[in-house]
Amino acid sequence: MTKPDHDAAFMRQALDLAARGSGRTSPNPMVGSVVVRDGVVVGRGYHREYGGRHAEPQALEEAGDRARGGELYVTLEPCCHHGNTPPCTDAIIASGIARVHVAMADPDRRVSGKGVERLRAAGITVETGLLEAEARELNAAYVHHRKTGRPFVLLKLAQTLDGRIATMNGHSKWITGEAARKRVHLMRSRSDAVLVGIGTVLADDPRLTVRHVDGRQPRRIVLDSRARTPVEARVMNDEAPATICVTEAAPEDRIDGLEQAGADVLVLPGGEGSVPVGPLKSALGKAGIVSLMVEGGSRVAASFLRERAVDRIACFVAPRILGEGIPSVAGLDAVAGLDAVAGLEPDDLSRTIDLRDTSVERLGDDFLFTGTPGYA
């Protein structure tokens, strides 16, 4: 292989290492690093969890004296400030590394460009932009949060082939199969918080925890303008933190009851209507929520889409049909379905929300469609 091919291969190793920290490093980014001497990897490291050692010092420690005169490949610009750990630039300079390959600049204003400048000032050759697109995708939520101050929002939908999420009676377990449900739990484990509306809590009493995969538990968030969440609801248990988002119209005694039951209550401006999405995202961003997974229900999904507050959509589709809703007749329960997204009502096709950068994956009998909303 040519030198550029070798460089790309080593950076891919660093990206693979970085991905091992998925779901454990937030609000910090995922970072991986490898040290190469004479074309051979002699040191590896990745940021394992928030507050833990950074990738570069780990790789340099493993390499030891072999790092001197070698090359360092790192997926994100090395930090140059004191945080939970010392500056990575100091460790790199002290190691005797001759060349550093950086996939992307760190959008954090404490670092952005300064880390590279510090290394170059010390006489180290620094090259940037190697596999930058892959590095940005890996840390899409971190980049978004650092640039906007708001969480990166993943909207998860699970529906039938004709776009239904439940029967008219609210039966939704289970629309999709085991493989799809396991993937949802993996998504939860990689999110700082998961969010549903009060309708979902009252109808399904979900736990919103990670169960079928290993991973940390996300914060559980309920949009509940009038503080109707029952204190005995499973989302209020001690398996993970819970935040109930209400408006100023919520009764004080209900707020007090939720807080006494162990929930955090976030009061946002608003009257009898729903919790406002914009102020909600700002408040969550300030609280350190970098990635937010919105799980339902249909009106919550519509409210986020209406406000252009969704950054990515993951739509699980089961190969089954429920049909259009019909009323109960002669005492028989209706079995047709509820829409996955309710209330957008575009008046022509030019006002639809189209997905870009789409991909399709099969999970058992179901399909997972992912993409980025392209707001007109």
Side-chain angles (χ1 to χ4, degrees):
M1 290 192 296
T2 64
K3 180 65 164 65
D5 289 336
H6 278 289
D7 289 340
F10 292 135
M11 187 62 81
R12 285 195 181 91
Q13 289 189 42
L15 287 166
D16 289 342
L17 285 167
R20 295 183 184 180
S22 178
R24 294 178 170 86
T25 64
S26 184
N28 284 349
M30 292 171 277
V31 183
S33 180
V34 298
V35 177
V36 176
R37 178 70 182 271
D38 299 326
V40 177
V41 175
V42 295
R44 300 173 178 84
Y46 70 96
H47 188 35
R48 287 173 167 79
E49 60 185 1
Y50 176 70
R53 297 181 68 200
H54 288 191
E56 301 95 317
Q58 293 179 52
L60 292 168
E61 182 178 290
E62 183 178 306
D65 291 340
R66 294 172 295 177
R68 190 163 298 278
E71 298 180 78
L72 176 74
Y73 297 77
V74 62
T75 58
L76 187 72
E77 180 179 9
C79 65
C80 54
H81 65 285
H82 284 271
N84 291 324
T85 61
C88 291
T89 50
D90 290 357
I92 295 169
I93 293 168
S95 72
I97 282 286
R99 184 185 298 269
V100 175
H101 302 265
V102 177
M104 62 170 287
D106 192 333
D108 191 314
R109 64 188 182 199
R110 296 172 297 177
V111 181
S112 188
K114 301 181 182 69
V116 169
E117 290 176 6
R118 177 78 178 90
L119 295 175
R120 285 174 174 164
I124 298 174
T125 300
V126 181
E127 298 179 358
T128 62
L130 179 62
L131 301 189
E132 181 175 359
E134 291 90 333
R136 286 188 173 277
E137 175 61 24
L138 178 69
N139 278 310
Y142 170 78
V143 172
H144 179 87
H145 182 264
R146 287 299 185 274
K147 287 187 173 182
T148 67
R150 295 182 167 196
F152 182 94
V153 174
L154 169 68
L155 172 61
K156 188 252 0 180
L157 303 171
Q159 63 179 55
T160 61
L161 194 61
D162 56 337
R164 313 297 184 180
I165 61 172
T167 69
M168 290 191 70
N169 305 312
H171 298 301
S172 61
K173 294 181 180 180
W174 298 98
I175 290 287
T176 54
E178 183 178 351
R181 296 197 298 274
K182 186 174 181 179
R183 178 62 62 85
V184 170
H185 282 262
L186 181 63
M187 290 175 172
R188 285 181 184 173
S189 75
R190 294 175 174 175
S191 303
D192 292 331
V194 295
L195 180 149
V196 297
I198 181 60
T200 297
V201 170
L202 296 177
D204 297 339
D205 193 20
R207 291 163 64 185
L208 299 180
T209 52
V210 173
R211 297 186 294 280
H212 302 298
V213 299
D214 292 330
R216 67 172 183 174
Q217 296 293 347
R219 176 170 289 276
R220 298 167 295 180
I221 299 175
V222 179
L223 300 189
D224 181 9
S225 60
R226 291 177 288 162
R228 292 186 293 155
T229 301
V231 295
E232 66 275 10
R234 294 199 294 178
V235 76
M236 294 284 291
N237 65 28
D238 59 4
E239 293 181 277
T243 297
I244 312 301
C245 302
V246 305
T247 67
E248 295 163 340
E252 288 291 337
D253 61 327
R254 292 294 305 158
I255 292 176
D256 291 342
L258 291 169
E259 291 177 334
Q260 291 172 14
D264 296 321
V265 177
L266 176 61
V267 181
L268 293 165
E272 295 295 332
S274 58
V275 175
V277 172
L280 169 70
K281 286 188 66 178
S282 295
L284 295 180
K286 289 179 181 178
I289 301 298
V290 173
S291 55
L292 174 65
M293 182 174 172
V294 175
E295 293 208 36
S298 62
R299 295 196 178 277
V300 169
S303 68
F304 272 79
L305 288 169
R306 190 181 301 111
E307 295 298 322
R308 303 186 176 189
V310 174
D311 301 293
R312 185 162 298 163
I313 294 176
C315 182
F316 296 85
V317 179
R320 56 175 64 183
I321 295 174
L322 275 176
E324 183 178 0
I326 57 175
S328 299
V329 178
L332 298 177
D333 290 334
V335 295
L338 303 175
D339 291 334
V341 179
L344 286 181
E345 299 179 353
D347 51 16
D348 61 69
L349 288 177
S350 68
R351 296 173 60 85
T352 60
I353 298 173
D354 300 328
L355 294 191
R356 303 168 182 170
D357 304 320
T358 56
S359 64
V360 181
E361 180 182 358
R362 185 162 188 167
L363 296 169
D365 292 330
D366 305 316
F367 293 87
L368 169 60
F369 294 82
T370 59
T372 302
Y375 300 110

